[in-house]
C-alpha cells in the first residue's frame, strides 16, 4: 500500500474560508511493495522481466545488511598511503565484509490519479547506492552515479494513465569505498505532482541577513516556473501563528525575492532550536498555482579571526563528532528513530555538532539537528579527481562534482543547523597545483549556491598544503589530526583560525581493558580488541587529551570533530588485516550505541550542565589479585579520593604538570586489585565532598536486566525502541565478562528488528534473534507495527532468569 502524504493544506483561507477541491501538490512516498532482486540470483538485466522470484521489500532498504559476513567480500589489496602504509596489504573487513558488491534491481508500480494535463511530476531520490539507472514504463529517465547524492527527474513525459512501472538498477563495484557504503535504495523515494506553474524543486532559499532581538530580516529567494507570477509568503511561528507576511509581484527571469521583517524573533540556537515556517503561495492572474512550506531558523552565523564561529553574537566552539551514515545493525537504511537515538546520546554527552563524513547527510538527520539544536558540517566527497580506492568517486568527479555540490546545497541550505560546508576529506588532490584549482573551483560553486556559509576541506597533507596554497584558499582551514602542525598552520595560513576537522581516532572496545596501561600506537592484541583505558591510537592520530590541550589553550582553534561518535561498519583499524574484525574501534560509543568509557571523558568537559562521575575499569579481575590495576575516573570535578574496600588510595587532582592525561583524567596508576568495592568520592573546588560512586566485583550471572531508551513509541510501522540487555548477578551488578548466548522473542504490536553487541569481531548476524552478550551487554531493537498496543520482548539465556519488557506503541 502506498503511503500518500498530502503535504500542503487542503483548506485555503481567505476572506471567509472555503475548501479547495484538490491539493496543489501531492507528495507520494514510495515505501512499501517494492520488488527487489540481486542480479546474481536472477540474471535480471531487463527491468520488465517477470518478478515472481523477486523479494518484496520496503524502502529505505539495504540489501547487504543481512549478510552473511564473508572475508572474501571486497577484500582489498591496498597500500593505504593516508594510513602511512609502505606496502600493499590484504584488508579484509575494510568495507564491512557484507555482500554489498554487485547489481541490484528494484521495481515499484504506482498510480498517480492526481496527474493530469498541465501538471508536472518529479521523481525524487534522497540517495541510492549506487550508480542509479532509472526507468519509468521501460524508458530510461536518467542516471545518477554518486550513491550519497540527492537527485530527481522530471518524469511528466513518461507517465501513463493507470499503473506505472518504476525500475531502478544499482551497481556497486568492488574497491569503491573505504568503509561499508550500504547497498540499494537506502533513503526515501518520492513522487511530487504539482502544477506546471510552480516553485522550482529546491529553488527556495531563505536567509536571515539581519538578526537582532527586536527584528529579523527574512530574505526569501524563490525560483519559479512561469511568467507574471505573484508570490505571497506568510511567516508562521512554531505554533502556526502568522507573525509576518508579504507579497512580491516583481519577477526577474525565474527569480522572485522578498524581504520580510519578523519582530521580536525567537532566535535558533543550540539551547533553543526554535523553528519558523515560511508558507509561500504562487499566483498567476490571481489564481493560486502552487504552495510551499519551508522550515527555517532565525540565527546569525559569522566567523571571526582568532575566534571562529560566532553564533548569535557568541563565540561557539565546535564540540563535534564525525559520523558515518550507517546505523550499525540497521545498515545504511535510514531510520529517523535510530538517528534520533544517536543524537539523544550525543546531546547528553554535551556534543553540539555533527560532521557528515564523508558525504551528504540524510534529510532526516538534518531535520533532527534543526529540531534538537546541533550545528552541522555537511560534507560532500572523500575523493575528487585522484583515487583513494580504484573505483571510488574519482571515476565521476569531472562530470558530476558540480551537479552533486549543487544538489547538496540546494536541497539542504534552508536547514539552520548547517553552519559550514566541506568540499572534501583528505583528498589526494591536496598534492599538486591541479588540486588547488579544484579546491577553488568547488569552493566557488558552494559560494555561488550559498553565499552565507563558509567551506572547508579536511586536510591531512598539512605540510604540503602549507606550501602549495591549497590551505590558504579555504574559507576554513580544516586539519585532520596533525597536532604538531597546528601552530605553524595558524601562523602561516591567512584565515586567523584553524578547525580540528577530524581529531582523536582513539581506538577502544567497550568493556575491554589491557595491561600494563600505557600510551600506545597501532597496538594489536590476540583477541582483536583495543583497550578501554583510552590510551591507544593510530600512527597518525592521538588520544583525546592531546586535542583538549589545543582546544583549551588557543582561542584560534575553533573546535573539533572527533573521529567518531559511533562505531561504524568497515575500517577495523588497527585490525585491518585481522579477520574477523569487520567494524570500527574508533567510536565514542560502540556499534550498538552503548557508550564506551571515552563517552564520559568527553561528557566531563562538554556537558557543562550535569555531573559526570565515571570509574573504570570494571572490577572483576579474577587471577589479577595483588597485581597493579590502574583506576581512572572521568569527572567534571577537579579532584577525588579513591577507596578499595574502604582503604584510601589517596586523592588525585587534575594537573597540567604531569602529563596531558593528568590534566583531564584522575588516574590512580598503582592500585592493586582485590575483589570487592571500588568507591570514588569527588570534591568541589573548596575541597568539600560532593558526589560519590561505587562499583562492585560481580558474582555469577544470575538474571537479565532490560531497559529501553523509549518505553512509549509511535504505532507507525517504523518507530524503534532500543532495549539494552545486561547480564547481572543476583544483586544487579553487571557481569562485565559475560558472553552468554541470548535468544529473543517479540510478541504483540511490534516485531523483532535487530540486535547488536558492539563486538567488532562478531560474525553473528544482526537480523537473527540470537546473539552473545559482549562485555555483559547487548542491545535489541524492536519495531512498532501500524497497530497500537503493547510490544513484549522476552530474552532468554542458559542458566539465567528470563528477562521481559513491555513497550507501549501508540
Ligand atoms: C582519517 C579519515 C577517516 C578515517 C580516519 C581513521 O584519515 O579521514 O575517514 O579513515 O582517518 O583514523
Amino acid at each position: 500500500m502506498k503511503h500518500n502524504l498530502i503535504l500542503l493544506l487542503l483548506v485555503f483561507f481567505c476572506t471567509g474560508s472555503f475548501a479547495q477541491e484538490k491539493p496543489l501538490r501531492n507528495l507520494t512516498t514510495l515505501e512499501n511493495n517494492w520488488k527487489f532482486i540481486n542480479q546474481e540470483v536472477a540474471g535480471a538485466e531487463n527491468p520488465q522481466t517477470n518478478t515472481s522470484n523477486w523479494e518484496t521489500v520496503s524502502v529505505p532498504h539495504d540489501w547487504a545488511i543481512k549478510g552473511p559476513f564473508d572475508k572474501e567480500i571486497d577484500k582489498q589489496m591496498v597500500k593505504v598511503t593516508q594510513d602511512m602504509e609502505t606496502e600493499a596489504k590484504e584488508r579484509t573487513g575494510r568495507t564491512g565484509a557484507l555482500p554489498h558488491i554487485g547489481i541490484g534491481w528494484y521495481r515499484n508500480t504506482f498510480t498517480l490519479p492526481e496527474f493530469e494535463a498541465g501538471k508536472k511530476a518529479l521523481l525524487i531520490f534522497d540517495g541510492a547506492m549506487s550508480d542509479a539507472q532509472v526507468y519509468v514504463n521501460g524508458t530510461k529517465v536518467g542516471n545518477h552515479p554518486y550513491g550519497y547524492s540527492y537527485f530527481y527527474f522530471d518524469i511528466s513525459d513518461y507517465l501513463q494513465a493507470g499503473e506505472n512501472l518504476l525500475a531502478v538498477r544499482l551497481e556497486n563495484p568492488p574497491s569503491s569505498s573505504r568503509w561499508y557504503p550500504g547497498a540499494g535504495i537506502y533513503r526515501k523515494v518520492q513522487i511530487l505532482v504539482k502544477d506546471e506553474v510552480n516553485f522550482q524543486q529546491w529553488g527556495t532559499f531563505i536567509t536571515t541577513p539581519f538578526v537582532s532581538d527586536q527584528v529579523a530580516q527574512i530574505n526569501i529567494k524563490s525560483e519559479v516556473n512561469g511568467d507574471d507570477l505573484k508570490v505571497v509568503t506568510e511567516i508562521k511561528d512554531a505554533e502556526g501563528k502568522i507573525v509576518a507576511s508579504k507579497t512580491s509581484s516583481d519577477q526577474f527571469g525565474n527569480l522572485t525575492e522578498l524581504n520580510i521583517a519578523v519582530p521580536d524573533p525567537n532566535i535558533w540556537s543550540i539551547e533553543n532550536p526554535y523553528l519558523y515556517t515560511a508558507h509561500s503561495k504562487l499566483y498567476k492572474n490571481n489564481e493560486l498555482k502552487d504552495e510551499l512550506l519551508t522550515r527555517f531558523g532565525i540565527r546569525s552565523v559569522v566567523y571571526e579571526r582568532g575566534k571562529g564561529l560566532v553564533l548569535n553574537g557568541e563565540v561557539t566552539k565546535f564540540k563535534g563528532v564525525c559520523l558515518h551514515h550507517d546505523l550499525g545493525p540497521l545498515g545504511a537504511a535510514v531510520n529517523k528513530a535510530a538517528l534520533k537515538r544517536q543524537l539523544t546520546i550525543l546531546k547528553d554527552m554535551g556534543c553540539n555538532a555533527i560532521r557528515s563524513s564523508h558525504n551528504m547527510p540524510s534529510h532526516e538527520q538534518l531535520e533532527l539537528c534543526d529540531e534538537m539544536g546541533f550545528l552541522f558540517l555537511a560534507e560532500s566527497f572523500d575523493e575528487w579527481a585522484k583515487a583513494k580506492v580504484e573505483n571510488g568517486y574519482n571515476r565521476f568527479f569531472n562530470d558530476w562534482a558540480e551537479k552533486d555540490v549543487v544538489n547538496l546545497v540546494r536541497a539542504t541550505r534552508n536547514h539552520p543547523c548547517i553552519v559550514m560546508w566541506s568540499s572534501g576529506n583528505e583528498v589526494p588532490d591536496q598534492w599538486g597545483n591541479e588540486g588547488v584549482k579544484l579546491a577553488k573551483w568547488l569552493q566557488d560553486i558552494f559560494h555561488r549556491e550559498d553565499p552565507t556559509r563558509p567551506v572547508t576541506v579536511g586536510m591531512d597533507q598539512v605540510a604540503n598544503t602549507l606550501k602549495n596554497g591549497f590551505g590558504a584558499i579555504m574559507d576554513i582551514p580544516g586539519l585532520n589530526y596533525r597536532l604538531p602542525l597546528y601552530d605553524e598552520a595558524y601562523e602561516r595560513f591567512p584565515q586567523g583560525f584553524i578547525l580540528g576537522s577530524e581529531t582523536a581516532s582513539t581506538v577502544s572496545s567497550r568493556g575491554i581493558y589491557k595491561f600494563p596501561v600505557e600510551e600506545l600506537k597501532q597496538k594489536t592484541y590476540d583477541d582483536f580488541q583495543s583497550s578501554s583505558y583510552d590510551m591507544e591510537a593510530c600512527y597518525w592520530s592521538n588520544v583525546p587529551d592531546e586535542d583538549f590541550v589545543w582546544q583549551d589553550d588557543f582561542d584560534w582553534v575553533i573546535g573539533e570533530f572527533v573521529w567518531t561518535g559511533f562505531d561504524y561498519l568497515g575500517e577495523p583499524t588497527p585490525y585491518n588485516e585481522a579477520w574477523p574484525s569487520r567494524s570500527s574501534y574508533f567510536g565514542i560509543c560502540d556499534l550498538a550505541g552503548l557508550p564506551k568509557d571515552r563517552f564520559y571523558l568527553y561528557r566531563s568537559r562538554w556537558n557543562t550542565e550535569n555531573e559526570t562521575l565515571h570509574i573504570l575499569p570494571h572490577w572483576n579481575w579474577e587471577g589479577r589479585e595483588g597485581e597493579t590495576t590502574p583506576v581512572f575516573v572521568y569527572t567534571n570535578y577537579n579532584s577525588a579520593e579513591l577507596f578499595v574496600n574502604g582503604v584510601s588510595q589517596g586523592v588525585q587532582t587534575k594537573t597540567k604538570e604531569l602529563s596531558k592525561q593528568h590534566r583531564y583524567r584522575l588516574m590512580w596508576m598503582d592500585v592493586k586489585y582485590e575483589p570487592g568495592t571500588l568507591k570514588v568520592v569527588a570534591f568541589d573546588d573548596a575541597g568539600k565532598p560532593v558526589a560519590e560512586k561505587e562499583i562492585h566485583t560481580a558474582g555469577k550471572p544470575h538474571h537479565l536486566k532490560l531497559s529501553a531508551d523509549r518505553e512509549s513509541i509511535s504505532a507507525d510501522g517504523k518507530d524503534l525502541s532500543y532495549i539494552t540487555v545486561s547480564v547481572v548477578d543476583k544483586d544487579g551488578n553487571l557481569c562485565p565478562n559475560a558472553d552468554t548466548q541470548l535468544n529473543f522473542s517479540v510478541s504483540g504490536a511490534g516485531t523483532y528488528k535487530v540486535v547488536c553487541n558492539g563486538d567488532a569481531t562478531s560474525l553473528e548476524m544482526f537480523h537473527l534473534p540470537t546473539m552473545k552478550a559482549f562485555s555483559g551487554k547487548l542491545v535489541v531493537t524492536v519495531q512498532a507495527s501500524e497497530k497500537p498496543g503493547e510490544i513484549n520482548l522476552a530474552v532468554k539465556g542458559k542458566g539465567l532468569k528470563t528477562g521481559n519488557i513491555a513497550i507501549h506503541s501508540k
Side-chain angles (χ1 to χ4, degrees):
M1 203 185 72
K2 296 204 172 61
H3 184 83
N4 276 312
L5 231 193
I6 298 170
L7 221 209
L8 294 168
L9 308 170
L10 275 165
V11 182
F12 174 53
F13 294 97
C14 64
T15 333
S17 63
F18 61 90
Q20 190 161 296
E21 277 183 356
K22 284 183 191 163
L24 289 161
R25 288 185 160 216
N26 285 274
L27 189 64
T28 304
T29 303
L30 302 179
E31 236 173 359
N32 298 323
N33 282 332
W34 284 83
K35 296 285 178 193
F36 166 75
I37 200 151
N38 204 307
Q39 183 164 335
E40 260 175 51
V41 183
E45 200 39 69
N46 178 358
Q48 308 297 341
T49 51
N50 159 27
T51 56
S52 56
N53 60 341
W54 294 33
E55 202 186 327
T56 303
V57 299
S58 57
V59 162
H61 177 245
D62 180 343
W63 87 56
I65 192 60
K66 291 186 177 170
F69 291 110
D70 182 342
K71 181 176 191 264
E72 297 306 313
I73 296 173
D74 203 23
K75 195 168 70 177
Q76 300 183 10
M77 269 305 284
V78 274
K79 179 175 83 180
V80 182
T81 44
Q82 295 91 36
D83 289 6
M84 300 173 187
E85 287 179 358
T86 49
E87 58 190 63
K89 289 182 189 156
E90 180 184 284
R91 291 200 161 203
T92 40
R94 191 178 200 199
T95 52
L98 289 164
H100 68 283
I101 305 296
I103 296 170
W105 274 102
Y106 288 84
R107 288 175 60 150
N108 188 284
T109 46
F110 62 90
T111 50
L112 292 176
E114 62 279 5
F115 186 75
E116 55 194 34
K119 296 266 182 179
K120 279 274 165 213
L122 304 185
L123 172 62
I124 308 161
F125 288 80
D126 282 5
M129 190 62 70
S130 64
D131 207 0
Q133 318 275 337
V134 180
Y135 303 79
V136 173
N137 297 321
T139 307
K140 187 164 170 184
V141 298
N143 72 303
H144 203 106
Y146 194 31
Y148 296 101
S149 250
Y150 330 112
F151 58 94
Y152 67 91
F153 304 112
D154 181 344
I155 56 166
S156 314
D157 294 343
Y158 303 91
L159 293 171
Q160 60 196 26
E163 278 203 345
N164 290 276
L165 173 64
L166 166 65
V168 184
R169 179 192 189 272
L170 300 174
E171 180 167 7
N172 298 321
S175 290
S176 53
S177 184
R178 297 192 299 115
W179 56 84
Y180 176 66
I185 308 182
Y186 69 106
R187 289 179 180 167
K188 66 180 177 317
V189 181
Q190 295 178 305
I191 299 179
L192 174 64
V193 175
K194 57 184 176 180
D195 197 279
E196 62 190 358
V197 173
N198 59 37
F199 289 112
Q200 290 184 9
Q201 178 70 358
W202 305 332
T204 293
F205 188 18
I206 304 186
T207 56
T208 52
F210 180 84
V211 179
S212 75
D213 288 342
Q214 291 73 40
V215 67
Q217 176 194 358
I218 315 300
N219 178 274
I220 308 184
K221 294 189 177 68
S222 306
E223 288 170 348
V224 291
N225 286 317
D227 300 320
D228 305 321
L229 303 178
K230 187 171 84 177
V231 175
V232 179
T233 297
E234 293 167 346
I235 306 293
K236 296 178 178 175
D237 68 12
E239 278 75 49
K241 201 174 113 224
I242 299 168
V243 293
S245 70
K246 202 130 187 198
T247 301
S248 153
S249 43
D250 294 329
Q251 194 180 334
F252 306 97
N254 60 12
L255 188 71
T256 69
E257 185 166 354
L258 278 171
N259 276 299
I260 309 179
V262 169
D264 305 320
N266 202 330
I267 293 170
W268 186 95
S269 67
I270 293 163
E271 300 76 26
N272 176 48
Y274 191 91
L275 298 168
Y276 288 87
T277 301
H279 184 176
S280 298
K281 296 170 191 166
L282 187 68
Y283 293 89
K284 186 174 170 92
N285 302 329
N286 288 329
E287 192 190 340
L288 183 59
K289 291 292 192 183
D290 194 9
E291 53 183 339
L292 184 68
L293 296 174
T294 311
R295 214 168 61 155
F296 69 100
I298 298 176
R299 89 281 189 272
S300 96
V301 167
V302 286
Y303 288 82
E304 288 181 19
R305 289 182 68 76
K307 294 181 182 163
L309 171 63
V310 182
L311 177 66
N312 306 319
E314 271 179 44
V315 175
T316 305
K317 289 230 182 186
F318 292 102
K319 306 177 201 173
V321 298
C322 303
L323 292 179
H324 266 315
H325 70 307
D326 81 58
L327 293 166
L330 296 174
V334 71
N335 178 289
K336 206 161 180 177
L339 289 165
K340 188 164 183 179
R341 170 181 180 247
Q342 286 195 334
L343 292 171
T344 305
I345 292 167
L346 294 173
K347 194 84 182 172
D348 175 54
M349 188 168 74
C351 167
N352 69 10
I354 308 293
R355 170 183 183 228
S356 61
S357 40
H358 303 296
N359 31 59
M360 291 75 182
S362 66
H363 292 304
E364 289 83 352
Q365 191 180 35
L366 293 173
E367 284 160 16
L368 287 165
C369 286
D370 286 347
E371 290 161 14
M372 296 172 74
F374 282 90
L375 306 171
F376 210 96
L377 164 44
E379 197 152 77
S380 43
F381 307 120
D382 193 48
E383 274 183 21
W384 295 348
K386 291 185 183 167
K388 283 184 184 172
V389 283
E390 197 186 340
N391 294 315
Y393 190 70
N394 65 84
R395 292 182 296 150
F396 307 117
F397 180 81
N398 286 332
D399 295 336
W400 287 88
E402 176 163 7
K403 176 92 181 139
D404 284 329
V405 169
V406 168
N407 286 12
L408 165 63
V409 177
R410 292 186 157 232
T412 66
R413 61 191 167 175
N414 293 318
H415 287 281
C417 63
I418 299 180
V419 294
M420 198 189 297
W421 305 109
S422 163
S423 65
N425 172 64
E426 298 187 354
V427 290
D429 311 66
Q430 287 164 98
W431 297 96
N433 297 335
E434 211 41 48
V436 185
K437 290 174 194 152
L438 291 180
K440 166 102 171 58
W441 175 66
L442 288 169
Q443 184 165 278
D444 287 348
I445 298 170
F446 275 100
H447 289 169
R448 182 188 75 206
E449 299 300 321
D450 173 11
T452 73
R453 297 176 176 97
V455 183
T456 190
V457 168
M459 297 181 289
D460 61 332
Q461 302 306 324
V462 179
N464 189 59
T465 61
L466 275 164
K467 284 193 219 123
N468 71 356
F470 189 102
I473 62 149
M474 302 277 95
D475 295 331
I476 310 270
L479 270 66
N480 285 9
Y481 315 99
R482 309 295 182 270
L483 291 173
L485 291 174
Y486 267 34
D487 257 332
E488 193 184 344
Y490 169 61
E491 195 58 33
R492 292 181 49 196
F493 285 146
Q495 295 86 348
F497 50 68
I498 60 166
L499 169 69
S501 42
E502 201 173 302
T503 62
S505 268
T506 302
V507 288
S508 64
S509 307
R510 176 181 54 79
I512 305 289
Y513 305 89
K514 304 289 186 186
F515 304 96
V517 176
E518 23 179 13
E519 209 177 326
L520 296 162
K521 290 279 162 94
Q522 215 78 17
K523 176 70 183 166
T524 54
Y525 302 92
D526 292 346
D527 61 356
F528 301 163
Q529 305 291 354
S530 296
S531 177
S532 267
Y533 275 105
D534 301 325
M535 299 287 264
E536 295 174 6
C538 309
Y539 291 133
W540 59 91
S541 66
N542 52 267
V543 296
D545 324 65
E546 303 260 345
D547 295 305
F548 296 165
V549 171
W550 286 96
Q551 300 295 328
D552 286 349
D553 291 354
F554 303 96
D555 289 343
W556 46 265
V557 185
I558 69 170
E560 65 169 318
F561 287 88
V562 178
W563 192 264
T564 47
F566 291 85
D567 276 332
Y568 50 93
L569 292 162
E571 209 183 38
T573 313
Y575 296 106
N576 294 313
E577 302 88 36
W579 184 252
S581 289
R582 48 62 172 164
S583 56
S584 82
Y585 298 77
F586 293 117
I588 292 173
C589 300
D590 71 13
L591 198 71
L594 294 170
K596 301 180 190 171
D597 292 294
R598 244 180 311 146
F599 175 90
Y600 301 94
L601 182 57
Y602 286 99
R603 191 181 190 275
S604 68
R605 61 186 257 109
W606 283 357
N607 182 334
T608 50
E609 303 282 303
N610 304 101
E611 176 182 288
T612 300
L613 187 57
H614 175 77
I615 311 179
L616 65 137
H618 63 70
W619 213 236
N620 270 68
W621 295 108
E622 218 183 310
R624 287 191 63 78
E625 288 79 3
E627 285 186 54
T628 303
T629 307
V631 174
F632 290 5
V633 167
Y634 297 159
T635 178
N636 53 308
Y637 299 110
N638 282 324
S639 76
E641 185 168 7
L642 181 75
F643 300 87
V644 178
N645 294 330
V647 178
S648 174
Q649 307 293 306
V651 173
Q652 289 289 337
T653 302
K654 289 180 190 168
T655 170
K656 289 186 184 175
E657 308 305 319
L658 295 170
S659 72
K660 285 172 185 150
Q661 283 83 356
H662 281 90
R663 186 167 165 188
Y664 298 101
R665 320 178 186 198
L666 300 176
M667 306 194 290
W668 288 261
M669 297 305 291
D670 303 323
V671 179
K672 300 279 182 287
Y673 175 68
E674 60 180 63
T677 300
L678 262 189
K679 175 169 143 180
V680 65
V681 178
F683 305 114
D684 66 11
D685 288 341
K688 202 170 105 220
V690 279
E692 59 177 65
K693 186 97 179 235
E694 286 185 4
I695 56 171
H696 307 275
T697 304
K700 282 204 194 71
H702 177 266
H703 63 276
L704 296 162
K705 204 163 89 187
L706 274 55
S707 73
D709 70 329
R710 288 161 64 228
E711 285 184 1
S712 176
I713 60 175
S714 305
D716 61 1
K718 291 177 221 148
D719 207 358
L720 303 171
S721 179
Y722 283 83
I723 297 133
T724 301
V725 180
S726 310
V727 181
V728 296
D729 70 4
K730 66 178 184 1
D731 300 319
N733 296 304
L734 175 73
C735 299
N737 299 313
D739 60 357
T740 323
Q741 188 77 39
L742 301 175
N743 298 298
F744 321 109
S745 54
V746 175
S747 59
T751 49
Y752 167 80
K753 183 79 178 170
V754 286
V755 61
C756 185
N757 63 10
D759 176 0
T761 69
S762 166
L763 296 182
E764 290 181 287
M765 286 322 308
F766 307 117
H767 67 289
L768 300 174
T770 181
M771 190 170 275
K772 277 182 170 181
F774 178 63
S775 296
K777 289 189 183 188
L778 51 71
V779 179
V780 178
T781 306
V782 299
Q783 185 156 47
S785 65
E786 284 180 7
K787 263 212 232 118
E790 212 174 74
I791 309 170
N792 295 293
L793 166 69
V795 184
K796 293 193 167 127
K798 206 171 160 199
L800 300 172
K801 221 173 93 197
T802 302
N804 291 290
I805 195 165
I807 307 299
H808 305 283
S809 176
K810 294 179 193 154

